[in-house]
Amino acid sequence: MDTTTTATEPWRAPRFWLFLQVVARGVVGLVARLRVTGDVPDELRHGPLILAANHINPFDPVVLTAACRVRRIAPRIMATGGVFRAPIVGAAMRHSGHIRVDRRTPTVGQALEHAAAAVARGSVVLVYPEGRMGLDPGMWPERGKTGTARLAFASGATVVPVAQWGAHEILPYTAPRGLLPALGRALVRRPVIRVHFGPPVDLGEIDPLGPGAAARATEAIIEALTATLVPLRPDEPDLPRYVDPTRPTETRRQHRRSRPNGADGN
């Protein structure tokens, strides 16, 4: 269900979605200690704006929902169609005005059109530029898909990177399998989860109509997201301290991240 009314009326977050943000803040507070740093410019808080976040764990959406509540932002989330098909969660997603992405289907391109229209109506849209839950061995952002860059070009909206770290200590990669034991451990340990809103990504020197523009903009977004993540894990520069044994890894889409003083990346 699309909660918008007309194509010209600014989008307003449904009260149901605002309520769910409060619930998410409470849930995260039960199982973790949430630390939110950084912010977005006041003039962008209610859109148009694109939030580009890294994706490391099934608990990420709850963490980002809670962090956005702390920063008084109510984003529309681009999520895979499978979430919308879930019996309860799917209904909540539809009633909250989020945007469905049916990957690997003929209609997948419609998601970009819907997201661009949402941004044009003044929405904040949250996207995962990696296009999936990352499988990088070090849990750094992978090479991104071009959808976020194309959305930025189509809408003209500012892109703000949002890095998160710690959600992988709450739920296993295989959740809902192993969900209850993991939550029990989290309730006792309450690990720290950090979320940081970084400075806007500078895409001003990239001509949207130029050759390779989407690829160059995607690289800039992933690089900014990686730089935003670095200070959240200062004692884990290469590999995570906590390793989820259920999480597979692969290097096929590994992003070669920049390092200070010209050092080699991963």
Side-chain angles (χ1 to χ4, degrees):
M1 181 182 73
D2 189 350
T3 56
T4 55
T5 53
T6 69
T8 57
E9 182 181 347
W11 186 80
R12 296 183 183 277
R15 290 182 180 180
F16 180 67
W17 174 223
L18 299 177
F19 167 73
L20 289 182
Q21 286 193 286
V22 174
V23 172
R25 181 67 185 92
V27 169
V28 174
L30 283 175
V31 298
R33 290 163 286 167
L34 180 64
R35 305 287 185 264
V36 182
T37 54
D39 209 340
V40 300
D42 286 339
E43 64 273 15
L44 298 177
R45 189 173 307 282
H46 303 290
L49 177 66
I50 300 168
L51 299 177
N54 60 320
H55 199 2
I56 60 175
N57 186 264
F59 198 58
D60 291 353
V62 183
V63 169
L64 289 169
T65 297
C68 286
R69 170 65 185 177
V70 172
R71 285 294 177 260
R72 308 183 311 282
I73 304 169
R76 302 179 71 176
I77 301 173
M78 295 190 72
T80 181
V83 175
F84 285 81
R85 290 190 293 272
I88 297 175
V89 176
M93 294 291 287
R94 290 189 294 273
H95 283 280
S96 297
H98 298 310
I99 301 169
R100 177 171 177 161
V101 182
D102 289 308
R103 297 172 182 162
R104 294 183 291 276
T105 70
T107 61
V108 65
Q110 293 179 4
L112 181 62
E113 297 175 8
H114 294 161
V119 174
R121 289 195 290 269
S123 296
V124 177
V125 172
L126 189 150
V127 300
Y128 292 111
E130 296 166 272
R132 68 173 186 177
M133 204 180 306
L135 299 179
D136 178 87
M139 298 186 72
W140 290 98
E142 296 181 320
R143 288 199 308 271
K145 299 292 187 178
T146 60
T148 304
R150 289 185 288 123
L151 175 59
F153 289 151
S155 64
T158 300
V159 179
V160 167
V162 185
Q164 58 178 328
W165 186 246
H168 59 295
E169 297 190 44
I170 305 298
L171 294 184
Y173 176 89
T174 54
R177 191 165 70 250
L179 174 69
L180 293 181
L183 286 178
R185 290 190 296 269
L187 282 167
V188 174
R189 296 177 55 246
R190 295 189 70 240
V192 174
I193 294 180
R194 297 179 173 87
V195 178
H196 184 67
F197 292 80
V201 183
D202 184 7
L203 301 177
E205 295 186 1
I206 301 177
D207 178 3
L209 300 179
R216 291 171 56 205
T218 299
E219 172 68 17
I221 292 167
I222 294 296
E223 192 63 38
L225 184 54
T226 302
T228 305
L229 178 60
V230 168
L232 301 189
R233 47 181 294 185
D235 56 341
E236 304 170 76
D238 295 308
L239 298 174
R241 180 181 60 253
Y242 174 82
V243 177
D244 175 5
T246 73
R247 177 180 177 270
T249 61
E250 67 174 45
T251 58
R252 181 172 52 89
R253 287 178 50 188
Q254 200 166 32
H255 170 70
R256 187 176 179 82
R257 59 190 175 94
S258 299
R259 293 209 180 194
N261 304 320
D264 289 337
N266 272 354

